[in-house]
């Protein structure tokens, strides 16, 4: 997740007007502001809200944030995508809801949202400027499936299936061209699928090649060779002896820090990991009084944002939902 870009303005002593006016005047005169020798003060980024209201009855699950302070949330109820300004809190549903779930989501640098379709066994690519569906893919070939989360890598998009031991791969061209169909990669090696929710959150290790997945039912973390699907259990250490990511859900990697949401525990585990994700250490576990079964996590500025899925709460058209922002743990 990209951090909120810092904007810069220029100010010249003794000149009346703001930095933007000065820059415009210099440009009109054919003078480069960079050549004036004037110091360039940094303009603080706009303050981000710590609470984002979502539509009543929305049933959020996934979240995606790009370079701008704007978040996209997916609905488990009907698959609607809600776009929210993290500075003002204002938002709107973009496009048309498909009537099937929107679960994990990631945003690319072309403004395209890659959305996992849950029990529908599919994926969609959405133009966030218009809400239009650019492509739809049937991923699962099994009758029962749950396409849960997605990560974007230099090799394309990879989706987890919490019911079947496979990854779905959308190979994306260097020019951003979307493929005609998805590839299926069998998961082999250390991971063993059982009852309940298996592979869930997925992220890219610091080496930029290896995938990381968390198995919700066991709380185990695995590395995955993206080309072969071979998995290996990550060796996790913890000072308190709790090395499991019980109820593990969304994952976020920033540098050599891994944030893992433990949904029903209302916790975010903070781990340091090596380049390939094969070694990890739990260095902190963070909670917040506002958490109500958070599922996934994305970052903007100095905050981590998590949508409250409120699993276990009766769902009505009036049930309230929100996303909460917490100060990013330092690790």
């Amino acid at each position: 997740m990209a951090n909120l870009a810092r904007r810069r303005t220029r100010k010249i002593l003794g000149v009346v007007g703001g930095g933007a006016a000065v820059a415009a005047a210099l440009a009109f005169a054919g003078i480069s502001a960079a050549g004036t020798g004037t110091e360039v003060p940094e303009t603080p980024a706009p303050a981000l809200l710590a609470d984002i209201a979502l539509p009543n009855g929305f049933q959020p699950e996934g979240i995606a944030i790009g370079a701008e302070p704007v978040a996209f949330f997916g609905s488990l109820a009907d698959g609607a995508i809600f776009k929210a300004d993290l500075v003002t809190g204002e938002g709107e549903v973009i496009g048309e809801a498909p009537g099937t779930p929107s679960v994990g989501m990631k945003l690319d640098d072309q403004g395209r949202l890659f959305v996992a379709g849950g029990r529908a066994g599919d994926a969609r690519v959405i133009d966030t400027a218009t809400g239009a569906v650019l492509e739809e893919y049937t991923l699962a070939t099994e009758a029962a499936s749950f396409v849960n989360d997605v990560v974007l890598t230099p090799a394309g998009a990879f989706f987890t299936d919490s019911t079947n031991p496979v990854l779905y791969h959308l190979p994306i061209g260097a020019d951003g061209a979307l493929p005609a169909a998805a590839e299926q990669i069998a998961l082999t090696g250390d991971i063993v699928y059982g009852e309940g929710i298996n592979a869930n959150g997925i992220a890219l290790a610091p080496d930029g090649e290896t995938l990381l997945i968390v198995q919700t039912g066991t709380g185990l973390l695995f590395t995955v060779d993206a080309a072969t699907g071979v998995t290996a259990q990550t060796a996790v250490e913890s000072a308190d002896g709790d090395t499991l990511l019980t109820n593990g859900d969304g994952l976020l990697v920033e540098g050599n820090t891994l944030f893992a949401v433990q949904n029903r525990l209302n916790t975010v585990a903070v781990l340091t990991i090596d380049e390939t994700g094969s070694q990890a250490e739990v260095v902190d576990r963070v909670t917040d009084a506002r958490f109500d079964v958070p599922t996934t996590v994305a970052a903007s500025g100095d905050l981590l944002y998590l949508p409250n899925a409120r699993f276990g709460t009766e769902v009505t058209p009036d049930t309230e939902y929100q996303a909460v922002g917490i100060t990013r743990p330092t690790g």
Side-chain angles (χ1 to χ4, degrees):
M1 299 295 174
N3 289 337
L4 181 66
R6 299 280 186 176
R7 295 177 298 168
R8 295 177 179 272
T9 60
R10 297 185 180 276
K11 181 178 179 181
I12 298 180
L13 296 177
V15 179
V16 177
V22 172
L26 289 172
F28 181 78
I31 302 172
S32 170
T36 64
T38 305
E39 291 196 14
V40 183
E42 187 174 278
T43 299
L48 302 178
L49 296 176
D51 296 281
I52 302 296
L54 304 178
N56 288 358
F58 189 73
Q59 294 183 248
E61 208 285 350
I63 180 175
I65 300 175
E68 298 299 321
V70 174
F72 297 88
F73 301 90
S75 169
L76 284 175
D78 61 4
I81 303 296
F82 184 76
K83 176 182 179 180
D85 187 312
L86 300 177
V87 176
T88 67
E90 297 178 356
E92 62 178 347
V93 171
I94 62 171
E96 295 184 7
T100 54
S102 291
V103 195
M105 310 188 303
K106 292 296 185 297
L107 187 67
D108 74 2
D109 58 7
Q110 296 186 33
R112 301 180 301 189
L113 193 65
F114 291 73
V115 183
R119 64 177 181 275
D122 63 2
R124 288 171 288 133
V125 182
I126 297 171
D127 182 345
T128 56
T130 65
V133 176
L134 301 175
E135 292 287 350
E136 294 182 81
Y137 297 94
T138 298
L139 302 181
T141 56
E142 301 292 333
S145 64
F146 195 89
V147 181
N148 206 329
D149 204 358
V150 57
V151 65
L152 298 179
T153 81
F158 290 85
F159 295 79
T160 57
D161 187 326
S162 296
T163 304
N164 304 292
V166 296
L167 291 180
Y168 306 107
H169 177 213
L170 296 180
I172 300 172
D175 60 353
L178 298 172
E183 302 170 350
Q184 192 172 117
I185 303 171
L187 291 178
T188 61
D190 289 350
I191 195 168
V192 177
Y193 269 46
E195 296 294 326
I197 301 173
N198 291 280
N200 191 337
I202 184 169
L204 187 63
D207 67 3
E209 298 179 358
T210 309
L211 302 177
L212 292 171
I213 57 175
V214 64
Q215 188 176 23
T216 302
T218 64
L220 299 176
L221 187 67
F222 297 89
T223 63
V224 186
D225 184 310
T228 66
V230 175
T231 66
Q233 184 177 331
T234 296
V236 180
E237 299 179 354
S238 179
D240 64 6
D242 184 2
T243 61
L244 296 179
L245 300 176
T246 304
N247 297 132
D249 203 328
L251 302 179
L252 172 64
V253 171
E254 292 191 328
N256 287 88
T257 299
L258 168 66
F259 301 104
V261 182
Q262 296 179 262
N263 54 33
R264 293 186 183 274
L265 300 186
N266 288 319
T267 296
V268 178
V270 185
L271 302 90
T272 57
I273 57 176
D274 65 3
E275 288 298 298
T276 63
S278 60
Q279 303 283 330
E281 180 183 2
V282 179
V283 295
D284 199 2
R285 295 186 195 266
V286 178
T287 189
D288 190 283
R290 296 168 297 158
F291 283 171
D292 193 350
V293 196
T295 47
T296 46
V297 58
S300 186
D302 295 327
L303 299 182
L304 298 181
Y305 283 94
L306 302 95
N308 279 328
R310 306 195 69 190
F311 295 149
T313 299
E314 181 183 2
V315 179
T316 73
D318 297 322
T319 303
E320 297 181 351
Y321 291 95
Q322 67 170 179
V324 299
I326 64 170
T327 301
R328 181 191 278 103
T330 58

